[in-house]
Amino acid sequence: MVKDVEMAAGRDYHDPPPAPLIDSEELTQWSFYRALIAEFIATLLFLYVTVLTVIGYRVQTDPLKNTVDPDCGGVGILGIAWAFGGMIFILVYCTAGISGGHINPAVTFGLFLGRKVSLVRAVMYMVAQCLGAICGCGLVKGFQKSYYNTYGGGANELQDGFNKGTGLGAEIIGTFVLVYTVFSATDPKRNARDSHVPVLAPLPIGFAVFMVHLATIPITGTGINPARSFGAAVIYNKDKAWDDQWMFWVGPFIGAAIAAIYHQYILRAGAMKGLGSFRSNA
């Protein structure tokens, strides 16, 4: 009986066609620019709330500032991780129907490799995300300039005691977890096959961000989002943040590429489908 249901579901399901590599018609559609605005605002809000949380934690744990309760440890790493994961949950939920709720160039890159978005959309999304991140950090600095400069501006840097290989590996694996979760949570085949299992996509994506932050904050401060790292580096503008910046682009892009290949060509058997189609045509 179960097998019959699965076969029926398989007959009813059809993969959506892949996005064109270059779709110039998108540039003439208002929905495309609306999506860019959504990505810009979402990334701005993401950086504003999360960087404020990081700076607030450092102020609370500074013995020179925390004169009210010396034993207070602030929100801690757990609170910072919740801020990042919670904001992603909220913002993906709000923007998924407009732009897809990427809010991260690595996610956009992974979805581009999976043929979910065109090259034009992918590039413009990344630009909007980076601009949003810069503006979000700019707002934080504008409101709390002294704290911003004193407590690191929320910039991602490789922490003391770790080498660059460890930092790069942490960014690759962390981004793999995130992008793999994005593919799994938004897989239309899974929704058709496992309709009895309700999936609220923003929830697992937010939890993935939360869990990765718990693991990698002590190593790199957790990037897994090139726009987040770039925006903070631009506004903070210190040598250390720029020296480590490559790590927060190379690592996430490699992790996103591995996740896209793993999901599309191994779990979804895209390679076997392509080979089967080639053989049938031959």
Side-chain angles (χ1 to χ4, degrees):
M1 180 65 181
V2 174
K3 185 176 181 181
D4 292 340
V5 172
E6 290 180 352
M7 291 178 63
R11 286 197 301 269
D12 293 337
Y13 173 78
H14 298 283
D15 271 320
L21 179 62
I22 298 177
D23 187 3
S24 58
E25 292 184 2
E26 287 185 310
L27 298 175
T28 65
Q29 300 171 353
W30 163 242
S31 60
F32 174 69
Y33 295 99
R34 183 178 61 184
L36 292 180
I37 295 172
E39 286 292 308
F40 171 82
I41 295 298
T43 314
L44 182 154
L45 295 175
F46 177 60
L47 267 293
Y48 175 73
V49 171
T50 54
V51 170
L52 271 178
T53 302
V54 172
I55 294 175
Y57 163 68
R58 292 185 174 177
V59 172
Q60 289 172 324
T61 54
D62 185 347
L64 298 179
K65 292 290 183 181
N66 186 14
T67 58
V68 177
D69 184 3
D71 295 327
C72 178
V75 297
I77 290 179
L78 183 64
I80 294 173
W82 271 122
F84 279 88
M87 281 303 293
I88 287 296
F89 169 72
I90 293 168
L91 295 170
V92 172
Y93 181 85
C94 292
T95 60
I98 301 173
S99 66
H102 297 193
I103 321 172
N104 184 336
V107 171
T108 300
F109 180 66
L111 293 175
F112 166 70
L113 294 181
R115 301 297 302 277
K116 305 298 184 183
V117 295
S118 69
L119 178 62
V120 172
R121 184 174 290 264
V123 171
M124 294 302 294
Y125 269 24
M126 292 180 192
V127 172
Q129 291 156 0
C130 289
L131 291 176
I134 293 171
C135 292
C137 291
L139 284 177
V140 176
K141 184 175 182 178
F143 293 148
Q144 298 190 8
K145 185 173 182 179
S146 61
Y147 284 166
Y148 187 91
N149 292 328
T150 302
Y151 296 102
N156 287 127
E157 298 175 354
L158 182 65
Q159 303 301 303
D160 294 337
F162 297 96
N163 60 46
K164 294 186 181 297
T166 301
L168 181 63
E171 289 297 307
I172 291 173
I173 296 172
T175 311
F176 172 85
V177 172
L178 170 59
V179 178
Y180 174 37
T181 304
V182 170
F183 271 102
S184 298
T186 59
D187 188 347
K189 182 177 181 180
R190 177 179 180 178
N191 292 335
R193 182 192 62 204
D194 302 332
S195 58
H196 61 286
V197 181
V199 176
L200 179 60
L203 184 59
I205 295 171
F207 261 103
V209 173
F210 167 68
M211 297 304 294
V212 170
H213 273 76
L214 286 181
T216 58
I217 283 176
I219 303 174
T220 61
T222 308
I224 70 171
N225 184 335
R228 175 259 186 276
S229 302
F230 180 70
V234 168
I235 301 301
Y236 187 53
N237 198 27
K238 301 294 183 182
D239 290 343
K240 176 64 173 172
W242 284 119
D243 290 343
D244 295 339
Q245 186 64 200
W246 66 272
M247 191 183 307
F248 301 106
W249 286 86
V250 175
F253 273 43
I254 292 176
I258 296 173
I261 293 170
Y262 175 62
H263 185 271
Q264 293 295 97
Y265 295 99
I266 298 179
L267 297 186
R268 290 294 307 277
M272 294 303 296
K273 290 178 183 178
L275 181 61
S277 176
F278 174 77
R279 287 175 174 172
S280 63
N281 290 337

